[in-house]
Amino acid sequence: MSLLPVEEALERVLALVAPLPAETVPLREGAGRVMTMPVTAGLTQPPFSGSAMDGYWLDAADHLPSAKLQVVGESAAGRSYQGEITRGQAIRIFTGAPVPREGGVVVLQENTTREGDWITLADSLSGNDNIRPKGQDFAKGAPFHPARPLNARDLGLLAAMNVAQLEVHRKPVVAIIATGDELVMPGETPGPDQIISSNSFIVAAQVEAMGGIARMLPIARDDRESLRMVFDLAKGADLIVTSGGASVGDHDLVGEVAAELGLERSFWKIAMRPGKPLMAGRMGEAVLLGLPGNPVSATVCAELFLKPMLAKMQGRDPQITPRRAVLGCDLGPTGPRTHYMRACLSATDGLPMIMPFDNQDSGILSILAQADALLICERDSGPHKQGTEMCYLPLM
Amino acid sequence: MSLLPVEEALERVLALVAPLPAETVPLREGAGRVMTMPVTAGLTQPPFSGSAMDGYWLDAADHLPSAKLQVVGESAAGRSYQGEITRGQAIRIFTGAPVPREGGVVVLQENTTREGDWITLADSLSGNDNIRPKGQDFAKGAPFHPARPLNARDLGLLAAMNVAQLEVHRKPVVAIIATGDELVMPGETPGPDQIISSNSFIVAAQVEAMGGIARMLPIARDDRESLRMVFDLAKGADLIVTSGGASVGDHDLVGEVAAELGLERSFWKIAMRPGKPLMAGRMGEAVLLGLPGNPVSATVCAELFLKPMLAKMQGRDPQITPRRAVLGCDLGPTGPRTHYMRACLSATDGLPMIMPFDNQDSGILSILAQADALLICERDSGPHKQGTEMCYLPLM
């Protein structure tokens, strides 16, 4: 089996998933979600021409240095001035309050002197009318449908548009299955040949950081019955992520059992380090992604493949754009597999500096935890000299 | 009142808050949290020297080109080989399985030929022993206490250390109060002088993006009774964030009522655009932060002051390090207040390019929503020429 380039593997896993159907959520829960259809503004904003400052409103024709005007009322937010107003008169006006009519200006409080019901304008006046015109922000009926996850400020805009609920892509439910006779859960006492299951915790946090709903299932033993039982618990999930059991060894039953349960299996060896083996396919209503059992390989494969799948399922752009940094050391030639080196970033005046860890053993979690980036050494590239600009992926 | 520099205002609001006390959480909920005390590894990892590959284990002395060895058993993950093994013998071994003793090597499956119970090694052998030594990752009793929020991979490391629960700083509970007679909630029908409340939605999403728990309280009217009632609902919160009513206008009652309820009030005009007025102080067990009523000003003040406060309360580093970008246009001199200009970033080969929006009116939500950065024009700086390196803050 020849090695599959990372880009091709990504295309294939992305082809397995589609944006999930819409659900209705209250505006309050809209952050990070992608809208499936446009909304329209229910009103015009500002709904009226209003004051941008605390001060006095007067007719533009009276806006002259040292002019003296009679204060005949006030307009406050929520309580507009209802009376008449003629030339030579002014009203006290507060930020956000409606102006009595068009054709006026607001003079800032600090540019006036008040005595009783009379104000005198300052000697020198600005050309600014300090009025926010009606409809400056948006008009009633204006559509809004950004092609990206909604941010905090979008929610503010939608609120101002009087949109109380949204149609957004449903969150993917991800069932996470660790497999292996050697695994026990944290808090248990491992037998002499056993280790604590760690992959599920990493993948669950990655899924949640990406906006998915993680369901951590019990550890599946390396036998058909245990695997079938755990796959049964995964029913209803949009995506089933396994780790371990996806290699070619004699004890790798996950693929076989999943195939018996309907998996249209693809199994690839990918031209990457770490994390060569990957399994993926449709399995009934769900999609299965089989990560390697090694935690470092599983983490890197999740960054490269699971993250874009979850993005696509939520209606986001699945493309991950690598960032750029300056290499902090010399590196030898890379060989036939693209190497995702665990690395640390440090700030400089320009691009950040990236320094890979000396020990790139894919069994070492303590180094993986310290890393904040994956330095990308493209296959068959290098040697790379210190100071070269390289690409990297920030780690979740 | 002279204008307070942003840095001083930040120091003062940070002085009001402290890291919150610890709570115990299951490992599964540890992502993004900061540990209050170290944990120690409950075991040694790897707990045994194990194979890093699928292949055959043999004595190092037998590791010779074309050597022929008898296969006498196998070691699988969770089921180690219990028998004797002598020179001239080998066992089938799988990834993650214990080696029978020290002093051996694992030869990759693909570098052997098997006939019955016998294997022949390849003509040329690598110098690699393909064994992960015991304790390579961490030893039993090793402490772990990173001074930063836990990432997905930290959780994997903690799981591997057999840590099932953690002591972490409690999440801040933030009560959010919008005030103003002109405000109604989305979904309601605004009166002729009214607008829809938007600040609370922005602040709630900002609080949640920062790891806090947001409690959105009912809108408070511009009267003492309504304000007292809503402040009463805020009881139990660690932080109370108001928006609106924090200016010096005649209708700004929030500060007065909060003072009656025990607020040791500080009120500042800050040397910044937008968002000049800010109120802050201790109020019983809680801290109050009074944001301006204007949504753009409120958003910028939340980025500059609320975000670092929430970081400190969760035991994180409160310092926000501005990022660097290249200015995409010419800008005039800045004046006496640091200007946080709504801007868009675009990728280039080096540092990103930053382009501020033409319209910087702080009343326009549609521009705020599109922005992805605040370009920082330091007070009394400029003019700035196109191509200059500038600092910016990414927007949540």
Side-chain angles (χ1 to χ4, degrees):
Chain A
M1 184 156 40
S2 72
L3 294 176
L4 190 70
V6 171
E7 304 71 37
E8 265 185 59
L10 178 58
E11 257 178 53
R12 293 192 194 178
V13 296
L14 283 178
L16 292 171
V17 295
L20 292 172
E23 65 176 358
T24 307
V25 296
L27 182 59
R28 177 78 177 74
E29 291 164 24
R33 311 297 291 271
V34 178
M35 294 164 64
T36 57
M37 58 168 72
V39 292
T40 53
L43 42 75
T44 294
Q45 176 67 12
F48 45 78
S49 295
S51 182
M53 296 296 208
D54 286 348
Y56 292 89
W57 181 94
L58 39 104
D59 194 291
D62 287 332
H63 188 230
L64 299 166
S66 312
K68 197 168 177 187
L69 297 124
Q70 188 188 13
V71 180
V72 296
E74 73 171 39
S75 180
R79 289 189 300 274
S80 63
Y81 177 68
Q82 299 294 334
E84 292 293 307
I85 178 163
T86 61
R87 288 284 310 277
Q89 295 184 327
I91 57 165
R92 181 85 174 98
I93 196 164
F94 298 98
T95 306
V99 298
R101 58 171 163 81
E102 300 301 316
V105 301
V106 171
V107 178
L108 271 59
Q109 190 171 348
E110 47 264 49
N111 293 336
T112 63
T113 9
R114 180 154 178 174
E115 280 179 84
D117 282 346
W118 293 84
I119 53 164
T120 307
L121 307 190
D123 298 344
S124 99
L125 300 170
S126 93
N128 207 325
D129 68 2
N130 298 307
I131 290 170
R132 297 211 172 93
K134 176 178 179 174
Q136 182 189 26
D137 206 348
F138 49 82
K140 184 172 179 172
F144 183 68
H145 189 195
R148 53 169 172 74
L150 295 172
N151 61 46
R153 294 154 284 120
D154 288 321
L155 301 190
L157 175 59
L158 284 160
M161 287 178 163
N162 205 4
V163 174
Q165 54 186 34
L166 301 170
E167 298 289 301
V168 296
H169 291 287
R170 192 163 62 66
K171 290 183 177 199
V173 174
V174 183
I176 299 165
I177 302 175
T179 68
D181 286 344
E182 77 279 22
L183 299 179
V184 299
M185 286 295 277
E188 293 180 35
T189 306
D193 295 348
Q194 293 187 305
I195 59 171
I196 317 291
S197 173
S198 54
N199 287 7
S200 303
F201 290 89
I202 301 176
V203 175
Q206 286 174 315
V207 165
E208 286 167 0
M210 275 296 294
I213 297 165
R215 273 167 51 191
M216 206 190 280
L217 299 186
I219 295 166
R221 300 293 142 209
D222 285 330
D223 63 67
R224 287 166 193 276
E225 196 179 348
S226 174
L227 280 164
R228 275 195 211 101
M229 194 195 73
V230 177
F231 273 123
D232 198 57
L233 292 174
K235 273 184 187 154
D238 301 299
L239 189 60
I240 301 168
V241 178
T242 63
S243 69
S247 190
V248 282
D250 306 10
H251 288 269
D252 294 318
L253 287 169
V254 178
E256 276 181 49
V257 173
E260 286 166 21
L261 294 172
L263 177 68
E264 304 157 37
R265 174 156 62 142
S266 294
F267 179 80
W268 308 303
K269 286 196 166 183
I270 302 176
M272 64 184 282
R273 288 173 61 194
K276 197 164 55 168
L278 195 77
M279 182 169 65
R282 285 200 187 81
M283 189 170 168
E285 294 295 297
V287 167
L288 182 139
L289 182 71
L291 300 174
N294 173 296
V296 177
S297 304
T299 301
V300 174
C301 283
E303 290 279 350
L304 292 181
F305 303 112
L306 176 58
K307 200 170 165 177
M309 289 170 88
L310 291 173
K312 185 173 175 186
M313 293 169 93
Q314 292 173 85
R316 299 185 196 165
D317 181 2
Q319 292 307 320
I320 303 175
T321 309
R323 301 187 189 174
R324 299 173 77 85
V326 174
L327 186 60
C329 63
D330 290 342
L331 286 178
T334 303
R337 294 194 281 152
T338 297
H339 195 178
Y340 295 88
M341 301 185 83
R342 276 73 70 210
C344 269
L345 295 166
S346 49
T348 74
D349 266 1
L351 291 175
M353 193 183 78
I354 191 159
M355 183 70 89
F357 285 92
D358 284 338
N359 189 338
Q360 291 287 326
D361 185 314
S362 67
I364 306 184
L365 274 164
S366 49
I367 285 179
L368 182 70
Q370 285 171 62
D372 50 18
L374 294 173
L375 171 64
I376 306 172
C377 295
E378 293 289 347
R379 61 201 162 96
D380 302 318
S381 75
H384 303 283
K385 299 297 282 181
Q386 186 177 348
T388 309
E389 272 190 33
M390 303 283 287
C391 285
Y392 74 91
L393 300 174
L395 279 167
M396 285 188 278
Chain B
M1 183 157 41
S2 72
L3 294 176
L4 191 69
V6 171
E7 304 70 40
E8 266 186 58
L10 178 58
E11 257 178 54
R12 294 193 193 177
V13 295
L14 283 178
L16 294 171
V17 294
L20 292 172
E23 65 175 357
T24 307
V25 295
L27 181 60
R28 176 79 176 75
E29 291 164 25
R33 311 297 290 270
V34 178
M35 293 164 64
T36 56
M37 57 168 71
V39 292
T40 53
L43 42 76
T44 294
Q45 174 68 10
F48 45 79
S49 295
S51 181
M53 296 296 208
D54 287 347
Y56 292 89
W57 182 93
L58 39 105
D59 194 290
D62 288 331
H63 189 228
L64 300 166
S66 311
K68 199 170 176 182
L69 298 124
Q70 189 187 14
V71 180
V72 295
E74 73 170 40
S75 179
R79 289 190 299 275
S80 64
Y81 177 68
Q82 299 294 336
E84 293 291 309
I85 177 163
T86 63
R87 288 284 309 275
Q89 296 183 326
I91 57 164
R92 182 87 174 96
I93 196 163
F94 298 98
T95 305
V99 298
R101 57 172 163 78
E102 300 301 316
V105 301
V106 172
V107 179
L108 272 58
Q109 189 171 350
E110 47 265 46
N111 294 336
T112 63
T113 11
R114 180 155 178 175
E115 280 178 86
D117 282 347
W118 293 83
I119 53 164
T120 308
L121 307 190
D123 299 345
S124 99
L125 299 170
S126 93
N128 207 326
D129 68 3
N130 299 307
I131 289 170
R132 297 212 170 92
K134 178 178 178 173
Q136 181 189 27
D137 204 350
F138 50 81
K140 184 172 178 170
F144 183 69
H145 189 194
R148 53 168 171 74
L150 296 172
N151 61 46
R153 295 153 285 119
D154 288 321
L155 301 190
L157 175 59
L158 285 160
M161 287 178 162
N162 206 5
V163 174
Q165 53 187 35
L166 301 169
E167 296 290 300
V168 296
H169 290 288
R170 193 162 62 67
K171 290 184 177 197
V173 175
V174 184
I176 299 166
I177 302 176
T179 67
D181 286 343
E182 76 280 23
L183 299 179
V184 298
M185 286 295 278
E188 293 181 34
T189 306
D193 294 348
Q194 291 186 306
I195 58 171
I196 316 291
S197 173
S198 54
N199 287 7
S200 302
F201 290 89
I202 301 177
V203 174
Q206 286 174 315
V207 166
E208 286 168 358
M210 275 297 293
I213 296 167
R215 273 167 49 190
M216 205 190 280
L217 299 185
I219 295 166
R221 300 293 142 206
D222 284 330
D223 62 68
R224 289 167 191 276
E225 195 180 347
S226 173
L227 280 164
R228 275 193 210 104
M229 193 194 75
V230 176
F231 274 123
D232 198 58
L233 294 174
K235 272 182 187 154
D238 302 298
L239 190 60
I240 301 168
V241 179
T242 63
S243 69
S247 188
V248 281
D250 305 10
H251 289 268
D252 295 317
L253 287 170
V254 178
E256 276 181 49
V257 173
E260 287 167 21
L261 296 172
L263 177 69
E264 303 158 38
R265 174 156 62 142
S266 294
F267 178 81
W268 308 304
K269 285 196 167 185
I270 301 176
M272 63 183 282
R273 287 174 62 193
K276 197 164 55 168
L278 195 77
M279 182 168 66
R282 285 200 187 80
M283 189 171 166
E285 294 297 296
V287 167
L288 181 138
L289 182 70
L291 300 174
N294 174 296
V296 177
S297 305
T299 301
V300 174
C301 284
E303 290 280 349
L304 292 181
F305 303 112
L306 176 58
K307 202 170 164 175
M309 290 170 87
L310 291 173
K312 185 173 177 186
M313 293 170 92
Q314 292 173 84
R316 300 185 195 164
D317 180 2
Q319 292 307 320
I320 302 175
T321 309
R323 302 187 188 173
R324 298 174 76 84
V326 174
L327 186 60
C329 64
D330 290 343
L331 286 177
T334 303
R337 294 193 279 152
T338 297
H339 195 178
Y340 295 88
M341 300 184 84
R342 277 71 73 208
C344 268
L345 295 165
S346 49
T348 73
D349 267 1
L351 291 175
M353 192 183 78
I354 192 160
M355 182 70 88
F357 285 92
D358 285 337
N359 191 337
Q360 292 286 328
D361 185 313
S362 67
I364 306 184
L365 275 164
S366 49
I367 286 179
L368 181 69
Q370 286 170 63
D372 49 20
L374 294 174
L375 171 65
I376 306 172
C377 295
E378 293 289 345
R379 62 203 160 95
D380 302 318
S381 74
H384 305 284
K385 300 296 282 180
Q386 185 177 348
T388 309
E389 272 190 35
M390 304 282 287
C391 285
Y392 74 92
L393 300 174
L395 280 167
M396 288 187 276

